Amino acid sequence: MEFFCYHRDRPGSAALRDELVEEHWSYMDGYAAELIARGPTFTSDDTPTGSVHIVDLPDPAAARAFAFDEPGYQAGVYRDVLLCRWRNALGRTMWEFPGGRTGGNRYLVLGLGTGQAADLAVPPDPDVIAYGPLLSDDGTGWLGTAALVRATDPDTARAILTSDRYADIEVHNWEFGGRR
């Protein structure tokens, strides 16, 4: 089962986050085979705002353990965690993205849904790094869409989703994470 996990930083926690970076990476190294995508989000001035992890785990209990046993969470770096089932519509990891780890602006686009499911088909954009629906724990209810994209600017990244089908669309600066 695939899960989308977004730890959002608590304001003022950047120093603690920096202090724990090696513990965080070591923790994630233990999940290297299960990770589909990972990386930090940040403001335009490079202030960290969160950490994205898309991971393939056996069940929701394992996903909760993954999210809440993470060293930064345990130490109070994060103010909240968004954890949802997710379906890997591209069927690949971020490391298999043909555009590589560098070059261009990268974004997390997070559409929080209402009503009927939208944007289930992968957009024909070659700059889509990861893409899929956010789902309820049992995998039947559509909660939104999460995408990692390379785009010229936040508005271009946002346009990957159908704006009137979501209660809110968030766009965050994002970069490839980890040691891979």
Side-chain angles (χ1 to χ4, degrees):
M1 290 181 183
E2 297 154 339
F3 294 88
F4 175 88
C5 181
Y6 184 36
H7 291 92
R8 294 175 194 263
D9 285 16
R10 183 174 45 81
S13 67
L16 180 57
R17 178 193 251 268
D18 289 346
E19 181 181 318
L20 295 170
V21 72
E22 184 56 40
E23 277 186 70
H24 168 78
W25 284 352
S26 293
Y27 181 80
M28 291 303 157
D29 287 347
Y31 290 93
E34 291 85 8
L35 284 166
I36 296 166
R38 69 183 283 192
T41 59
F42 47 91
T43 63
S44 59
D45 69 356
D46 292 333
T47 301
T49 60
S51 192
V52 173
H53 297 93
I54 303 174
V55 62
D56 190 354
L57 295 168
D59 54 47
R64 284 189 285 281
F66 168 83
F68 298 114
D69 290 347
E70 192 278 333
Y73 180 82
Q74 291 292 310
V77 171
Y78 307 117
R79 70 176 165 105
D80 61 54
V81 178
L82 173 63
L83 180 63
C84 297
R85 288 270 306 270
W86 188 74
R87 185 173 17 239
N88 188 351
L90 292 172
R92 67 175 187 224
T93 71
M94 72 178 199
W95 298 278
E96 297 166 305
F97 170 60
R101 292 179 61 100
T102 59
N105 301 317
R106 313 292 172 107
Y107 300 96
L108 162 65
V109 181
L110 190 57
L112 305 174
T114 61
Q116 289 192 297
D119 297 321
L120 295 177
V122 178
D125 188 330
D127 287 331
V128 177
I129 299 164
Y131 190 90
L134 299 170
L135 304 167
S136 59
D137 274 356
D138 66 3
T140 62
W142 178 79
L143 306 175
T145 305
L148 299 172
V149 300
R150 180 172 59 186
T152 55
D153 56 60
D155 289 337
T156 302
R158 179 185 312 275
I160 201 164
L161 299 182
T162 309
S163 63
D164 65 349
R165 299 299 301 275
Y166 297 89
D168 189 26
I169 297 177
E170 302 174 12
V171 179
H172 304 270
N173 293 326
W174 172 82
E175 63 184 32
F176 275 54
R179 303 181 215 249
R180 286 190 186 191

